[in-house]
Amino acid sequence: MKISVKTGEMGAVSADLLAIPVFRPAPKPGGKASKENPRLPTEAAQFDRTLGGIIQRALATGDFRGRPEERLLLYAPGASAKSAGVRVLLVGVGAPGELGLEGVRRLAGGAASEARERKLGRLTILAPRARGLRAEDCAAALAEGAVLGAYRYDRFKSNSRRRAPKPKAPATTLLFRSAEGLPGLRRRAKEAVWGAESQNLARDLSNAPGNELPPAGLSREARRVARETGLTCRIIRGAELERGGFSALRAVGSGSANPPQLIVLEHRGGPAKRKGAPLCLVGKGITFDSGGISLKPSGGMEEMKHDMSGAAAVIGALRTAALLKIPAHVVGIIAAAENMPSGTAYRPGDVIQSRAGKTIEVTNTDAEGRVVLADALDYAVKQFSPEAMIDLATLTGAAMIAFGPWATAAMGNDDKLVEEIRRAGEAVSERMCPMPLLPEHRREMRSTIADLKNSGGREGGVSTAGAFLQAFVGDTPWAHLDIAGTGWTNRRTPYHRHGATGVGVRMLVAWMQARVQQNA
Ligand code: BES
Ligand code: MN
Ligand code: ZN
């Protein structure tokens, strides 16, 4: 998506839609809401005079309060009956002290979404000004919001009726007041576009139907991303998986005609190019989860096409790391398989030997994510001796019940690492909530006939799943993120709509950058 940063007068821009942030008047002392109408930013007020004061008159009605996410579309008449008018979109951003970077992201997201909905090709967003809001951060958040807000998953919509081309994301201009620091604003906007487009790529992968994106399809996409951005990519499959001892991954994939694959993406940036323990990002890549022989109920099963959202986040994060040339060594490892019931499927009661050597009694074939991750985590630890390792997985319905789409469950064997991740998430408005991993959770996963069983009871489902994974990471500093609730949404927000969210990409990028800073 094309995003440019400009400075200058509002009257000088030619756009199909001009979005103006409008603050709600500060509340009265004592906290009561002000009865005053919202005021326009000075430059917008000047511009409004050239439009004949339509914005001020609309505000004078008192209908528009400037509340966060409130939107009002106005039309200023053109100079003559034949010349088209100007579309002005007022976007509420709350009281001046209320506006943070997430508000800025939402402002741009709402504007870009509105432009796309109305098939408008050129959007200009006036950058908001508020105390404590740095212009460069604002440019990044605006760019991010616009790219995410314009996202649609319309690959399978045929628009045969009028053969009109499908609407595209609007070319967007971010309009700043002063030319001060323009190169910095442009650089930050460009970097933010890379990150947000990587998040949209993760959404595309998760939204893709199971028949379109089986494990081999996920490999193909990873290879394509690697080729385009300079990552290295290695795919392990077939006999090589067998020789490598990936029996757990192979067991889960055995019910499907689409064989499992292990995808390894690698980024080497900066001075870490030569040596150094990497950061490992491990993703659950179940391209469709039917539950296997422990078949899921049919209602809502179609959503299980996004059971590779952890993998999608890993691909998005590595893509961004490559584009930003983050000076670190980062390895992405994806365990890709399809969980299907069939005559060749693994069964409840089976005992499988994991790559790590530990035996797993399968008590429920629907607890397949942890089984494939067992081999992927073991491979990461033994092959790369990582400095730190994070896995992302749509692992349990329990995480969705616990936090809904509002927070990711975070746990691990290293409180400092979990805290780092929580902070990185907070900085980019991806919420992570710490969950415990207790000795009792580990005990719950013991089997009577094997080393572990793959499914505990319903109690403490988020943590027992995490405790299972812990058995495969040894002493490596490790954190597990259960994105079962956050990877998918049915709620619309200014920059999310029904479907995959691409959660994890922004946090991982922020985390890698923080790590680099820390080591510098
Ligand atoms: N992929 C599911 C978890 C899931 C549920 C993700 C809803 C996103 C939305 C996972 O493989 C699964 O089926 N987990 C089981 C585990 C149980 C059998 C121990 C679950 O949570 O029910
Ligand atoms: Mn499952
Ligand atoms: Zn699953």
Side-chain angles (χ1 to χ4, degrees):
M1 179 167 162
K2 193 173 176 324
I3 304 256
S4 35
V5 180
K6 292 204 175 115
T7 57
E9 299 284 311
M10 291 180 72
V13 304
S14 50
D16 303 311
L17 183 66
L18 187 55
I20 300 176
V22 179
F23 286 100
R24 167 166 68 185
K28 291 220 199 70
K32 264 206 152 153
S34 165
K35 293 219 176 60
E36 276 172 58
N37 290 326
R39 260 195 303 266
L40 282 177
T42 337
E43 58 275 58
Q46 268 164 22
F47 172 63
D48 183 40
R49 284 193 277 280
T50 70
L51 301 180
I54 58 149
I55 305 178
Q56 297 289 16
R57 271 180 278 160
L59 290 177
T61 64
D63 288 0
F64 183 87
R65 306 307 306 156
R67 281 188 289 261
E69 284 162 50
E70 201 180 349
R71 297 208 289 260
L72 180 66
L73 183 62
L74 300 172
Y75 294 86
S80 71
K82 282 208 184 111
S83 74
V86 180
R87 298 180 197 83
V88 174
L89 182 71
L90 304 184
V91 188
V93 289
E98 246 170 43
L99 182 65
L101 291 176
E102 174 64 3
V104 175
R105 208 176 276 121
R106 286 171 175 246
L107 151 70
S113 182
E114 193 84 45
R116 173 120 196 203
E117 223 47 52
R118 293 173 191 279
K119 304 187 174 61
L120 303 174
R122 295 169 311 160
L123 166 69
T124 291
I125 306 171
L126 181 65
R129 249 191 315 197
R131 198 177 303 164
L133 206 60
R134 292 182 45 229
E136 286 194 359
D137 295 338
C138 190
L142 284 170
E144 236 165 52
V147 171
L148 296 172
Y151 176 82
R152 297 291 183 274
Y153 189 69
D154 57 3
R155 179 156 311 164
F156 297 106
K157 288 265 187 205
S158 37
N159 39 354
S160 49
R161 246 176 303 154
R162 284 190 289 123
R163 302 214 176 192
K166 283 187 207 172
K168 289 205 217 58
T172 300
T173 303
L174 312 178
L175 189 62
F176 280 78
R177 256 45 68 87
S178 94
E180 202 186 315
L182 194 56
L185 298 178
R186 290 197 164 131
R187 182 180 56 82
R188 287 290 303 278
K190 183 178 76 180
E191 291 176 356
V193 169
W194 284 337
E197 283 181 341
S198 298
Q199 186 174 345
N200 282 349
L201 164 69
R203 293 162 99 179
D204 271 343
L205 296 175
S206 291
N207 282 325
N211 63 334
E212 285 289 316
L213 204 74
L218 200 55
S219 296
R220 192 186 56 236
E221 288 300 305
R223 246 198 241 105
R224 183 181 57 78
V225 168
R227 197 172 49 239
E228 287 170 5
T229 60
L231 297 163
T232 59
C233 179
R234 190 160 107 79
I235 312 289
I236 305 177
R237 54 187 169 156
E240 207 187 333
L241 271 185
E242 196 175 338
R243 280 199 303 277
F246 294 90
S247 307
L249 173 58
R250 289 173 54 242
V252 170
S254 64
S256 170
N258 303 309
Q261 322 236 330
L262 192 92
I263 306 168
V264 184
L265 286 168
E266 199 163 354
H267 163 72
R268 284 166 186 275
K273 243 174 197 146
R274 278 144 286 154
K275 52 177 189 306
L279 305 172
C280 275
L281 309 178
V282 180
K284 170 178 173 181
I286 300 297
T287 59
F288 181 69
D289 181 12
S290 68
I293 299 294
S294 314
L295 195 62
K296 285 181 183 296
S298 55
M301 201 201 272
E302 69 279 4
E303 277 182 16
M304 281 301 113
K305 67 179 183 176
H306 92 96
D307 209 16
M308 32 54 68
S309 290
V314 169
I315 295 175
L318 270 121
R319 179 182 188 271
T320 316
L323 290 171
L324 295 180
K325 299 190 167 64
I326 292 179
H329 181 193
V330 187
V331 180
I333 297 167
I334 290 161
E338 185 176 46
N339 189 20
M340 295 292 261
S342 80
T344 57
Y346 78 141
R347 334 159 173 71
D350 282 3
V351 174
I352 50 192
Q353 173 116 37
S354 67
R355 187 177 190 278
K358 292 188 178 168
T359 53
I360 303 168
E361 181 194 5
V362 177
T363 50
N364 189 326
T365 63
D366 197 11
E368 84 298 338
R370 59 196 79 180
V371 178
V372 301
L373 285 173
D375 279 357
L377 291 168
D378 180 66
Y379 176 77
V381 168
K382 305 230 169 99
Q383 191 73 18
F384 296 101
S385 312
E387 181 181 287
M389 175 162 76
I390 305 179
D391 79 73
L392 296 95
T394 45
L395 206 59
T396 67
M400 191 169 64
I401 300 297
F403 298 132
W406 303 291
T408 293
M411 65 217 85
N413 60 4
D414 184 321
D415 289 345
K416 235 184 90 225
L417 179 61
V418 173
E419 175 57 18
E420 265 175 40
I421 289 166
R422 199 197 58 73
R423 283 227 189 114
E426 189 172 82
V428 296
S429 290
E430 287 189 345
R431 283 212 211 76
M432 314 279 148
C433 285
M435 293 285 277
L437 281 185
L438 307 174
E440 287 83 348
H441 294 132
R442 289 188 280 278
R443 191 164 317 137
E444 191 68 15
M445 300 311 288
R446 285 191 196 152
S447 156
T448 48
I449 64 163
D451 299 329
L452 293 153
K453 59 181 178 190
N454 78 327
S455 149
R458 285 161 44 82
E459 296 164 325
V462 178
S463 294
T464 54
F468 178 94
L469 298 179
Q470 191 175 5
F472 298 90
V473 302
D475 300 330
T476 304
W478 154 82
H480 158 60
L481 303 178
D482 193 332
I483 57 171
T486 46
W488 189 268
T489 185
N490 295 312
R491 287 179 169 76
R492 197 181 272 205
T493 75
Y495 64 84
H496 282 140
R497 31 190 46 239
H498 172 85
T501 61
V503 75
V505 175
R506 288 209 306 278
M507 181 281 294
L508 288 172
V509 172
W511 176 71
M512 291 186 280
Q513 287 173 324
R515 273 266 164 177
V516 167
Q517 292 265 300
Q518 219 177 76
N519 293 345

